[in-house]
Amino acid sequence: MKKATIPLVVCVLLSVYGCSTRKLPPGPTGLYQLEGDWQLVSTTDDDSALNGTVISVDPVTADGMITVLQKNRYCVRPTDVMWKELSTSAGSGQFKAGCLVSSCISGLEYKPATLQLLNNEVRLTGTNAYGKFLLQTWRRRPK
């Protein structure tokens, strides 16, 4: 009887905690509203800075990674994280993030930013690499 119990316990443990079927925990509350692709359509910084760049937001990692890089004036790379450590208050439609403003120096430079979700647009406010006011508009790209 004891020999039959051990395989049964192992099977139960594998079915509950199995590596291959385990799912990642859900992302921070509300970040699923930002999930998908966003394209930069305007910026007060300089239209030649990154206009046309596309990022993909993953609510599980709470990051927005560059997938299409356009007009790269700030030395960013095609796979850099543009918005990192996204967070929100439940149902507020407002998010906080570290926004990549430059990597021309020795590493990636992030500044705090606020993102406001308005239908299919995100308005980002913060400061640029030089400490000046920054307003960007990102539009959701259809799948």
Side-chain angles (χ1 to χ4, degrees):
M1 183 71 113
K2 287 183 180 181
K3 288 183 179 180
T5 306
I6 292 172
L8 179 62
V9 170
V10 170
C11 286
V12 169
L13 288 174
L14 282 175
S15 68
V16 173
Y17 298 106
C19 297
S20 62
T21 60
R22 215 168 142 197
K23 295 190 187 233
L24 293 170
T29 305
L31 289 186
Y32 287 98
Q33 298 170 31
L34 289 178
E35 183 174 20
D37 295 337
W38 297 90
Q39 183 172 24
L40 182 62
V41 295
S42 70
T43 177
T44 57
D45 195 23
D46 179 352
D47 276 344
S48 65
L50 292 168
N51 246 7
T53 294
V54 177
I55 63 171
S56 182
V57 174
D58 181 345
V60 175
T61 63
D63 288 333
M65 182 181 288
I66 295 173
T67 57
V68 175
L69 184 60
Q70 298 290 325
K71 301 180 181 180
N72 186 8
R73 199 174 131 218
Y74 293 125
C75 310
V76 296
R77 296 172 302 245
T79 57
D80 283 341
V81 172
M82 191 71 175
W83 300 341
K84 74 174 188 172
E85 299 171 357
L86 283 159
S87 64
T88 185
S89 301
S92 72
Q94 193 165 39
F95 305 86
K96 300 278 185 199
C99 180
L100 178 61
V101 293
S102 180
S103 64
C104 293
I105 306 170
S106 60
L108 302 177
E109 184 179 352
Y110 288 88
K111 300 273 185 165
T114 301
L115 291 79
Q116 181 70 42
L117 179 62
L118 305 165
N119 295 320
N120 287 323
E121 283 189 357
V122 167
R123 298 242 172 95
L124 180 144
T125 56
T127 56
N128 66 14
Y130 308 106
K132 297 193 186 245
F133 176 76
L134 176 66
L135 174 63
Q136 294 178 338
T137 301
W138 295 78
R139 280 208 187 107
R140 187 180 296 276
R141 288 185 68 184
K143 292 183 180 187

